[in-house]
Amino acid sequence: MEVFEGKSSFKGVAIGKIAEMKKAETVVRRTHVDDVDAEIARYHKAKEQAQAEIGELHDKAMKEVGEAQAEIFEVHAMFLDDFDDSVENIIREQNVNAEYAVATTGDNTAAMLAAMDDNPYMQARQTDVKDVADRVIRDMSEGGGEANTFTENVILVADDLAPSETVQLDKDKVLAFVTRQGSTNSHTAILARTMSIPALCQTPVTKDVDGKMGIVDGMEGKLIVDPDEATLEKYTKAAEAEAEKKRLLKELKGKETVTKSGRKIKLYANIGGIGDLNFVLENDAAGVGLFRSEFLYLQSNDYPTEEEQFKAYRTVAEMMAGKEVVVRTLDIGADKQVDYFKLDKEDNPALGFRAIRICLTREEVFKTQLRALYRASAYGNIDIMFPMITSVWEVEKAKAICEEVKDELTAQHIPFKDVPIGIMIETPAAVMIADELAELVDFFSIGTNDLTQYTLAIDRQNQHLERFFNAHHPAVLREIQMTIEAGHRHNTWVGICGELGADPELTEQFVKWGIDELSMSPSSILPVRQIIRNMD
Ligand code: PEP
Ligand code: MG
């Protein structure tokens, strides 16, 4: 038995025979040409063919794995469109063959992408641009690559996998992907998440595993080759449990969250950072309903800079590919303490200096975050949400600061969108004045964790009060209903992002009251979708 460790981009277990991916070698030689015009014409002919092939791959991906996955081939077409100037210039200036000019252009573009440290998405597109160059080069030469057809289900091992290779695979036969290179941002990783199969990258697998028995453990990020009996038994059990989960997933993935009578609910995910996006995509969330941005501050030893925050928000916006992403502004204080804020010790921190109270007092900290958020808004569909609101003036003031930030960005010619603004309803005060607050914002998101704590006057951290704690207390439920009604009186959509939003015993009640959105930890999404789809 041998174990290889790598980075996992999808949790899950796969057991089966290992197959090494066969690849066509494209060896490019630099040769001298006299007739540069003929060489350029040869390039354009191959480019046209490559364009047609990319179009076909796009359509195939669209049918098999959906729009989000097919989009990568639009990126390929775009890369190819940008090749012309460089390729023609290399052929003309250096009197060289088109294959060499294309390969050099591909390598140069890949090197440029590799240097984009501030954009992990584009950085991960290096393999895509090389794939495009290889395609054009192949189209200029005779013959094709070896076919990868499998007679049984396999764990596919490769150095790396380009989207054009994965889309041509017989996906029903692939149990897992294991690549020696690649990143968790690569297309293969994204595809694996879409297919809900385990995938490991950066796994130093030796070349002699082809045909051997293997286990991919996506939880621990391991490929086990030639497992012993006890290991095989343990993983067979885990795989059976996975299969049951997958059955539910398969049934509900891609389906709308809609009741039988046609009421649609936005089912969103709560995240603490980029690392959670995996699960968001895996569980088919329609958006992110709560990005707890304070985790960026909690993970850091000093104030995260505007640039650091911008990168994180932009990545989430890009990865969610146009789906709504609600980012909650900094919510520290109370149970979430950050040393470098040097906050005074308080007798009663839950009722103290926290969240919006800190932001409205330390405007420079707030403004840095807002600038990062507005800048990232140009890359997707971001909403901004303020936590712990109790008064109208707080919302007015926070919005006024947003206006200042927008004016600054406009003056600096930095692009941004005029994003929707919402607030969390997590204090009884906010519930009582919800009509006034609704006039000021685009949406409400009910934070039932804090709303319960403040309504019942029970510290959410104190285990000794369990006897007095009732998650379904009628006061809290009535507050939720009141908030939904108030929001709707003013055309403000209302969601729940606290834990109650995922409570299967309450889902039907919330839908009947008219809730517009429920945001929860990703693993709760499909079970809640099932409840909603079974409702009349
Ligand atoms: C809440 O209070 O319900 C909420 C979602 O916010 P947090 O749990 O982060 O305080
Ligand atoms: Mg809260």
Side-chain angles (χ1 to χ4, degrees), residues 270 290 292 294-295 328 331 335-336 354 387 424-426 445-452 454 460 496-500:
N270 294 350
L290 171 66
R292 290 182 160 101
E294 58 275 9
F295 282 94
R328 172 174 78 186
D331 181 17
D335 51 320
K336 297 173 205 149
R354 65 171 290 196
M424 292 200 61
I425 301 290
E426 50 186 346
S445 187
I446 307 173
T448 52
N449 311 337
D450 277 314
L451 186 59
T452 307
Y454 295 128
R460 66 194 257 193
I496 299 176
C497 64
E499 292 306 301
L500 275 197

Side-chain angles (χ1 to χ4, degrees), residues 72-138:
I72 193 70
F73 295 106
E74 288 167 22
V75 177
H76 280 208
M78 199 183 73
F79 280 140
L80 184 52
D81 270 341
D82 289 343
F83 272 20
D84 287 2
D85 286 351
S86 165
V87 170
E88 288 179 22
N89 187 50
I90 293 172
I91 296 174
R92 258 186 222 294
E93 294 300 315
Q94 303 180 36
N95 277 89
V96 287
N97 54 328
E99 285 89 343
Y100 176 78
V102 171
T104 308
T105 302
D107 287 348
N108 289 346
T109 316
M112 184 188 76
L113 295 172
M116 294 174 79
D117 288 334
D118 62 342
N119 188 339
Y121 177 81
M122 286 313 281
Q123 219 169 26
R125 302 283 75 79
Q126 291 171 66
T127 37
D128 291 293
V129 86
K130 286 204 175 147
D131 187 35
V132 172
D134 282 348
R135 173 174 303 287
V136 182
I137 294 165
R138 265 199 317 273

Side-chain angles (χ1 to χ4, degrees), residues 408-454:
E408 272 172 33
L409 293 174
T410 307
Q412 293 171 305
H413 305 290
I414 297 173
F416 66 89
K417 286 188 192 141
D418 200 9
V419 304
I421 302 248
I423 56 170
M424 292 200 61
I425 301 290
E426 50 186 346
T427 64
V431 176
M432 299 312 287
I433 60 165
D435 276 290
E436 284 99 305
L437 294 170
E439 288 282 309
L440 298 172
V441 294
D442 300 298
F443 64 93
F444 284 159
S445 187
I446 307 173
T448 52
N449 311 337
D450 277 314
L451 186 59
T452 307
Q453 139 163 290
Y454 295 128

Side-chain angles (χ1 to χ4, degrees), residues 266 268-273 277 286-294 313 316-317 320 322-329 369 373 380-387 419-424 442-446 493 495-497 517-519:
K266 300 195 278 189
Y268 286 1
N270 294 350
I271 63 168
L277 283 174
V288 169
L290 171 66
F291 178 176
R292 290 182 160 101
S293 70
E294 58 275 9
Y313 305 142
V316 176
M320 289 307 291
K323 291 183 179 145
E324 194 167 16
V325 175
V326 180
V327 185
R328 172 174 78 186
T329 57
Q369 179 170 38
L373 278 170
N381 190 5
I382 285 181
D383 297 356
I384 295 178
M385 174 162 79
F386 305 125
V419 304
I421 302 248
I423 56 170
M424 292 200 61
D442 300 298
F443 64 93
F444 284 159
S445 187
I446 307 173
W493 66 259
I496 299 176
C497 64
E517 178 240 29
L518 292 169
S519 190

Side-chain angles (χ1 to χ4, degrees), residues 66-244:
E67 195 176 342
Q69 298 300 310
E71 265 170 19
I72 193 70
F73 295 106
E74 288 167 22
V75 177
H76 280 208
M78 199 183 73
F79 280 140
L80 184 52
D81 270 341
D82 289 343
F83 272 20
D84 287 2
D85 286 351
S86 165
V87 170
E88 288 179 22
N89 187 50
I90 293 172
I91 296 174
R92 258 186 222 294
E93 294 300 315
Q94 303 180 36
N95 277 89
V96 287
N97 54 328
E99 285 89 343
Y100 176 78
V102 171
T104 308
T105 302
D107 287 348
N108 289 346
T109 316
M112 184 188 76
L113 295 172
M116 294 174 79
D117 288 334
D118 62 342
N119 188 339
Y121 177 81
M122 286 313 281
Q123 219 169 26
R125 302 283 75 79
Q126 291 171 66
T127 37
D128 291 293
V129 86
K130 286 204 175 147
D131 187 35
V132 172
D134 282 348
R135 173 174 303 287
V136 182
I137 294 165
R138 265 199 317 273
D139 287 341
M140 282 189 275
S141 55
E142 314 277 291
E146 266 186 90
N148 280 283
T149 45
F150 312 110
T151 48
E152 60 188 316
N153 292 350
V154 293
I155 293 170
L156 194 64
V157 172
D159 287 341
D160 207 351
L161 280 165
S164 59
E165 290 169 327
T166 48
V167 84
Q168 284 177 40
L169 289 171
D170 183 357
K171 283 181 267 313
D172 288 344
K173 295 238 158 56
V174 180
L175 299 167
F177 294 112
V178 179
T179 58
R180 297 182 180 90
Q181 292 142 28
S183 73
T184 46
N185 223 347
S186 74
H187 179 78
T188 306
I190 298 169
L191 180 76
R193 288 193 286 269
T194 309
M195 290 165 66
S196 299
I197 62 171
L200 306 182
C201 63
Q202 295 169 36
T203 315
V205 193
T206 47
K207 290 275 180 186
D208 57 357
V209 294
D210 195 25
K212 293 186 178 167
M213 184 67 189
I215 297 173
V216 177
D217 176 346
M219 260 79 72
E220 305 254 319
K222 282 187 208 158
L223 169 67
I224 304 165
V225 180
D226 281 338
D228 58 38
E229 222 167 276
T231 310
L232 192 60
E233 197 182 320
K234 175 182 137 195
Y235 279 102
T236 306
K237 282 208 182 107
E240 277 163 11
E242 271 300 310
E244 178 54 24

